[in-house]
Amino acid sequence: QVQLVESGGGSVQAGGSLRLSCAASRYTFSRNCMGWFRQAPGKEREGIASIYTGAGSTYYADSVKGRFTISQDNAKNTMYLQMNGLKPEDTAMYYCAAGDRCSGRGLAPYGHNYWGQGTQVTVSS
């Protein structure tokens, strides 16, 4: 069964923190790679963090590097995104995704077959 469910979004002030969670089915969590993507109104979907589930390798977009941390809890089949130092430009709908044929260090949407429904993050100045 394919399942990805995001949670943890909300509204924060600039400089604040949030932790997003992505609960996955065992099948989905065993895909080659998982990642976090975001999409702001009028903009393309952007890959911001990825993790290759086997090796644990992680990659980040320059826009979030040093502020966001992706991690996984294998016992809970859950992926996280710790977001610190949030900025107004981080405002977007955040999605988790999984796939087996990921490209661009897992930051390209292509190759991610499975997507969650998204959770909104709003950062005010």
Side-chain angles (χ1 to χ4, degrees), residues 1 6-7 12 23 30 36 57 74 76 82 93 105 118:
Q1 181 180 3
E6 303 97 334
S7 61
V12 296
S30 66
W36 288 98
S57 305
N74 295 333
K76 296 182 178 180
Q82 178 66 43
M93 184 71 78
R105 295 190 171 186

Side-chain angles (χ1 to χ4, degrees), residues 3-25:
Q3 183 182 28
L4 290 169
V5 180
E6 303 97 334
S7 61
S11 297
V12 296
Q13 290 190 330
S17 298
L18 285 172
R19 189 177 80 155
L20 304 184
S21 299
C22 174
S25 63

